[in-house]
Amino acid sequence: MAEYETLLVERDAELPGLVTVTLHRPEKLNAISGRMHRELQEVCRELADDAEARVVILTGAGRAFSAGADLGGSASDPNRLPLATLQAERSPLRERLRASQGNRTAAALEGLPQVTIGAVNGLAIGGAVVLLACLDLRIAAATAWFSVPEVDLDIPLTWNALPRLMRELGPARTRELVMTCERFTAEQALAWGFVNRVAPEGEALAAARELAGQLLAKDPMALALTKSTCAALAEAMVPAHVTHSDPDYLVLARLLAQERGGRGSTRA
């Protein structure tokens, strides 16, 4: 596979058929930049054509799974503008396209034909929780924690996240977590059905590899057909396309934030 700036992609020498994708910006807590979005989408395109890969693990480097969307701004990187900024000179359609990059990444992960496992080695915030919701199975370290803070950042939760979270957590729990923005622990995630297993600290990836070994021992066609049927059932339960206007909501939130900033924010 190709080499990437923000990802490590490795075929497992001991478990043929297993590919591990590691979010690799540890100095930024693996925050999801525009480049990482593009590289994740590229990896997914490669994997979609890979008949040898049967299980994919997604994890993070260092002490975090991911701190979510990269909110840092840089004049030299148009994909890392501050979240509350919409520059007047940008094309509206270009801005809309940029606002939809998370939707495209989520769809690419969810659409993988392989069985996917999230190995949550540390904190997972915002967009990271969304990406995890796109995977088939999730294992979290006992010390991992989760948060969906978008409303506290004055933006709606986008990336077609709400349908996926409702599938995994149920409507009432999803409403609570995305509206209050409260953290939840690995044990709570286990009790609520968001993660399948909790592993001791530092052992989430090892536990994910063990689970991958179990899956790789199954009949390849039976496993692949079960995966595709489960995916179809999940989409029928709560279709992701109902949130088709997510990019527009995000653009609107940025415009409103810019307007508030110009008049002086009313927030304390």
Side-chain angles (χ1 to χ4, degrees), residues 133 161-172 174-175 178 237-238:
L162 288 172
R164 293 175 172 119
L165 290 174
M166 285 193 174
R167 293 173 197 162
E168 305 301 315
L169 286 159
T174 296
R175 291 189 193 102
V178 302
M237 287 170 58
V238 189

Side-chain angles (χ1 to χ4, degrees), residues 31-47:
I32 306 166
S33 63
R35 180 176 291 278
M36 184 179 284
H37 276 297
R38 293 192 298 274
E39 291 185 350
L40 280 169
Q41 292 164 30
E42 184 176 341
V43 166
C44 288
R45 284 192 292 270
E46 289 190 44
L47 287 169

Side-chain angles (χ1 to χ4, degrees), residues 10 56-57 74 98 125 135 137 167 187 196 234-235 246 263-264:
E10 302 168 289
V56 176
I57 293 174
S74 168
R98 188 178 75 88
I125 299 174
L135 307 180
L137 303 166
R167 293 173 197 162
E187 289 295 339
N196 301 86
E235 176 65 17
D246 270 6
R263 295 183 318 210

Side-chain angles (χ1 to χ4, degrees), residues 134-155:
C134 297
L135 307 180
D136 298 311
L137 303 166
R138 293 167 285 274
I139 295 176
T143 52
W145 56 269
F146 307 82
S147 173
V148 186
E150 272 72 2
V151 169
D152 278 349
L153 298 172
D154 298 337
I155 58 173

